[in-house]
Amino acid sequence: MAIARSTPQKAGSALRYVALGLGAVLFLVPFYLLVRNGLMREADITAPDWSWLPPVPQWGNVRELFTDPAVPIARSLANSAVIAVTQTALVLLLSGMAGYGLARIPYRHADKVLWTVVATLLIPASVTFVPSFVLVSTLGWISTLRGLIIPGLFQAFATFLFRQYFLGFPKEIEEAARIDGLGWWGTFWRIVAPNSWGFVSAIATITFIGSWNAFLWPLVIGQDQSSWTVQIAVSTFLTQQTSNLHELFVAAAVAILPLVVMFVVLQRWIVEGVERTGINE
Amino acid sequence: MAEAAAAGAGVAVRPRPSLGRRLRGDQDRNLWFWVFVGPFALGLLVFVYVPIAWSLYLSFFDSYNTVTPTTFVGLRNYGDMLSDPAFRSSLTTFLAFAVFIVPTTFVASLGLALLVHRARFLQTFFRSVFFLPTACSYVVAALIWKMSIFSGVRFGLANTILGWLGIEPVAWLSVVQPPWYWLVIVTVRLWLQVGFYMILFLAGLQRISPTLYEAAAVDGAQGFQVTRYITVPQLRATSAAVLLLLLVNAFQAFDEFYNLLATSGQYPPYGRPPLVYLYYVALGQGQDFGHGSAGAVILTLIIGLVAVLQGRVLRLGGRD
């Protein structure tokens, strides 16, 4: 369909690209500043004159950060990785199974159970941080990985999304499995789960981002340096001392690197996944 | 129904089969339901419902620094919080923040979605660029904003640009009058979350049937008219979801306020949204769980009310 486009249409299209281009530059500037500052000397960052590029790129800043005894960056990264990976895996397991049970097993009170799950969606997790803190401190879990990981495992939103997804899973496939003699357990693990990778990876990505970037809960629970996540390490650096700016920027770059790599590698899946979680159906 | 009744009768007559037998096959639906849902439901009970109940309980007591409440004070904590000027000002701060952030994010993400949706070239590139900040945390973004873009000294990016225009440097974050810190706080969140909502709008745009556009073209609709009369009304469900998410997220604002405004152990009394205030009440020097819990209950009630009202308004506003 090659329809000749009129002049106003072409002008509109050009304008659209100018707007998109300007927007793209604005959105990339913060990333550029992060990398630029991370590669500068402290004195260059605070120099009175603006420079677009580091005068002498300081690749040694990375080593300096990792050997600085004042900032437990390696330990914090390890904590963040353990927390994010464990939480993601367990949220998928717990919410995936619960979502399937709620969607498919005809239990008399299933509706009531679903209602108690959905009701917690109206109570934002971070508003309940005071009582959760009291609970976790009663259990003696302050500054432990348990305290950082376990309370975040029971995500009503993930369970609800899984339920919605399983409701739409083609029933015929499951019925065929039943005829072959598989029970609920077998049908779920051998038929339904292996055929849901797209959706599972979407929820995995969203959970992983949320877990890696979480701030309030790790701030409340991670009181000893040994239990800091990388976000807390950067924040403490930022709010309590303002020297070593160059190290601070390298730390921040290190903190977002895993997610940026993930975004670049998995970008198509992530976008599809966010679209398919169906919160806007 | 008949089948369930028959199964029930069967169980009543026969002796209870062993667990292994009940797990085999799917005759026992109740048991299998709890095998799947039980672990999650138990966790939800212990880590969500118990804390909420506990919070309600604590909010009626004097309880400092301890998990055992001491004196029952009835509704006094609620009265104290509602008449506490700092708590009330935190609600005002939230209101001001929501008034800035909700419409700007909504318009910007819808605008970007429309632009990206119609771009023929480099569509994936633009989509990725606008979505990429979602990977960034508030802590990292706050660092870039505070120390590099809106740094109050002359070498910050914003002040450098102002300098080119011959304007004196602005102390972005450290002064209340004029309240420039709002610009810093709103732009951080805008940059971080616009891409996510853009993706939701893009998904909504893809679901609009092409026949609607063809019909509009036949009727002679052009350019902006199409956007106004076809695209925007078709995005109603997405818009409702985006608005609700934006409001709930604005209510939970904590990370950027905390990281942008706190310096060397000091936090200024201005610009505290409710969560930051409650954080200092309950987990600061006083460890005042009673008042903190009352504040959390009040906040939860307000959020619930807003959500219900919004659901009403949007549904009443547009019965198709």
Side-chain angles (χ1 to χ4, degrees):
Chain A
M1 285 244 296
I3 299 171
R5 307 210 306 152
S6 63
T7 321
Q9 264 177 331
K10 271 187 203 154
S13 168
L15 212 63
R16 195 175 303 141
Y17 278 99
V18 171
L20 281 169
L22 277 176
V25 170
L26 273 178
F27 270 68
L28 289 175
V29 160
F31 288 108
Y32 151 76
L33 288 173
L34 181 62
V35 176
R36 181 197 80 135
N37 291 357
L39 291 178
M40 296 223 275
R41 284 173 299 215
E42 170 113 33
D44 297 331
I45 302 178
T46 53
D49 292 313
W50 182 259
S51 58
W52 286 104
L53 289 173
V56 191
Q58 304 291 309
W59 297 102
N61 284 354
V62 181
R63 193 174 350 101
E64 198 185 319
L65 170 72
F66 277 89
T67 51
D68 184 345
V71 198
I73 196 72
R75 180 71 190 263
S76 304
L77 274 170
N79 285 340
S80 285
V82 170
I83 293 167
V85 169
T86 320
Q87 273 189 337
T88 306
L90 290 177
V91 163
L92 290 178
L93 182 72
L94 287 163
S95 290
M97 281 179 57
Y100 185 75
L102 287 165
R104 280 287 195 261
I105 303 180
Y107 168 59
R108 240 177 319 149
H109 303 296
D111 280 355
K112 285 173 206 154
V113 177
L114 178 67
W115 193 87
T116 59
V117 174
V118 173
T120 65
L121 290 179
L122 265 187
I123 304 161
S126 52
V127 169
T128 61
F129 78 91
V130 177
S132 303
F133 171 78
V134 175
L135 174 70
V136 166
S137 68
T138 312
L139 293 170
W141 288 2
I142 301 291
S143 292
T144 62
L145 281 177
R146 265 183 317 220
L148 286 157
I149 293 172
I150 296 174
L153 293 181
F154 308 98
Q155 308 254 354
F157 197 45
T159 301
F160 178 70
L161 292 177
F162 266 119
R163 175 192 175 260
Q164 298 303 99
Y165 167 79
F166 289 131
L167 281 179
F169 193 88
K171 242 186 165 143
E172 307 78 54
I173 302 178
E174 283 174 73
E175 272 154 15
R178 307 316 279 282
I179 292 165
D180 292 347
L182 285 177
W184 302 111
W185 189 257
T187 310
F188 179 69
W189 286 110
R190 304 206 356 220
I191 309 296
V192 178
N195 284 297
S196 302
W197 278 121
F199 191 78
V200 169
S201 59
I203 303 287
T205 315
I206 293 172
T207 311
F208 192 87
I209 296 171
S211 186
W212 184 270
N213 284 342
F215 182 68
L216 179 57
W217 189 248
L219 179 71
V220 168
I221 299 301
Q223 298 185 347
D224 293 345
Q225 268 206 8
S226 62
S227 59
W228 279 0
T229 64
V230 70
Q231 309 295 340
I232 301 303
V234 173
S235 170
T236 311
F237 217 157
L238 171 66
T239 54
Q240 306 200 341
Q241 58 176 87
T242 43
S243 57
N244 288 343
L245 264 182
H246 58 299
E247 264 188 49
L248 178 50
F249 277 97
V250 180
V254 167
I256 69 166
L257 194 64
L259 287 190
V260 170
V261 169
M262 196 170 96
F263 264 53
V264 172
V265 176
L266 302 177
Q267 93 101 359
R268 211 186 51 129
W269 273 23
I270 295 171
V271 171
E272 261 176 37
V274 174
E275 288 174 354
R276 270 205 294 173
T277 51
I279 37 181
N280 49 349
E281 293 282 349
Chain B
M1 267 329 234
E3 193 188 298
V11 170
V13 177
R14 268 183 281 127
R16 207 170 165 75
S18 72
L19 186 66
R21 214 196 168 93
R22 290 170 71 205
L23 284 170
R24 222 166 293 133
D26 53 44
Q27 52 284 67
D28 202 327
R29 289 164 175 180
N30 296 2
L31 185 69
W32 273 113
F33 180 85
W34 289 112
V35 168
F36 275 92
V37 182
F40 175 80
L42 189 69
L44 200 68
L45 186 73
V46 174
F47 289 101
V48 180
Y49 278 100
V50 167
I52 290 170
W54 203 333
S55 179
L56 261 174
Y57 181 74
L58 283 181
S59 70
F60 297 112
F61 285 87
D62 257 343
S63 80
Y64 295 95
N65 236 331
T66 167
V67 289
T68 342
T70 44
T71 328
F72 181 78
V73 294
L75 288 171
R76 206 189 69 204
N77 287 336
Y78 287 87
D80 288 351
M81 287 310 273
L82 287 172
S83 58
D84 174 0
F87 183 66
R88 287 218 301 246
S89 105
S90 79
L91 291 176
T92 318
T93 302
F94 158 72
L95 203 68
F97 182 59
V99 164
F100 277 120
I101 199 71
V102 173
T104 41
T105 314
F106 186 87
V107 170
S109 52
L110 178 58
L112 280 181
L114 287 171
L115 281 173
V116 170
H117 186 63
R118 285 183 202 153
R120 285 149 193 251
F121 308 106
L122 297 173
Q123 191 182 50
T124 316
F125 168 77
F126 286 121
R127 194 182 61 182
S128 312
V129 167
F130 297 133
F131 189 50
L132 193 59
T134 310
C136 200
S137 70
Y138 279 97
V139 179
V140 171
L143 164 72
I144 303 169
W145 256 244
K146 182 179 177 176
M147 296 296 183
S148 204
I149 301 179
F150 291 108
S151 159
V153 284
R154 203 155 63 82
F155 57 79
L157 177 60
N159 280 335
T160 301
I161 293 172
L162 289 182
W164 294 338
L165 303 170
I167 300 168
E168 287 294 300
V170 175
W172 299 101
L173 282 164
S174 51
V175 290
V176 187
Q177 283 305 328
W180 286 117
Y181 67 94
W182 278 107
L183 181 75
V184 185
I185 278 170
V186 170
T187 48
V188 160
R189 184 168 278 241
L190 203 58
W191 180 71
L192 278 171
Q193 63 175 14
V194 148
F196 179 77
Y197 295 106
M198 176 197 75
I199 296 291
L200 296 187
F201 276 124
L202 276 174
L205 286 171
Q206 268 149 27
R207 274 197 291 270
I208 301 176
S209 156
T211 53
L212 279 174
Y213 288 111
E214 284 158 23
V218 170
D219 291 345
Q222 284 181 329
F224 186 67
Q225 285 180 317
V226 178
T227 309
R228 165 110 191 262
Y229 294 106
I230 307 288
T231 313
V232 172
Q234 287 292 315
L235 287 175
R236 178 175 292 279
T238 310
S239 306
V242 167
L243 275 179
L244 186 64
L245 286 173
L246 278 173
L247 262 176
V248 170
N249 285 338
F251 234 118
Q252 300 190 61
F254 179 86
D255 302 9
E256 73 268 50
F257 282 89
Y258 180 90
N259 285 296
L260 283 170
L261 297 174
T263 45
S264 308
Q266 288 273 309
Y267 192 94
Y270 62 90
R272 277 181 184 175
L275 261 188
V276 174
Y277 182 62
L278 291 182
Y279 172 81
Y280 282 104
V281 168
L283 304 175
Q285 298 293 320
Q287 298 254 321
D288 184 347
F289 295 143
H291 284 98
S293 295
V297 173
I298 295 171
L299 266 186
T300 310
L301 289 177
I302 297 176
I303 294 176
L305 192 71
V306 169
V308 169
L309 274 180
Q310 207 205 353
R312 277 280 165 77
V313 168
L314 287 172
R315 218 159 292 151
L316 287 179
R319 227 172 240 300
D320 318 63

